[in-house]
Amino acid sequence: MRYIRAVHVDSPGTRNEHISSVKYTFSTSGAVFAATRDGVAAEIRAGHIYRTHNDQTGAEAPVIAATSMSGRPYITTIADGRESNNLLGLPRF
């Protein structure tokens, strides 16, 4: 399992579709790796499991691949009403 711990967003950075890359680990600590949004979406579609992990709150949520209205892949969490486990609630880099 991979844990997304930080996100990089393109301007204006207000929607999951603006996430362009992520930093992730293979546990809730350890070596950090970078990946593009398209790469993560492709890995999720291939069966790899991603979750968010907020180091400050410990909150986690499953991450899924989606497709925008314009046909671009993006990643998002499964909505559960908790802002602290959303991708846009993670630290930025």
Side-chain angles (χ1 to χ4, degrees), residues 8 48 68:
H8 181 80
H48 295 279
S68 71

Side-chain angles (χ1 to χ4, degrees), residues 51-54 57-63 77-90:
R51 293 182 63 81
T52 61
H53 179 77
N54 187 318
T57 66
E60 294 185 4
V63 177
T77 53
I78 297 174
D80 65 1
R82 291 180 59 204
E83 292 296 321
S84 63
N85 63 11
N86 293 332
L87 285 163
L88 293 175
L90 295 175

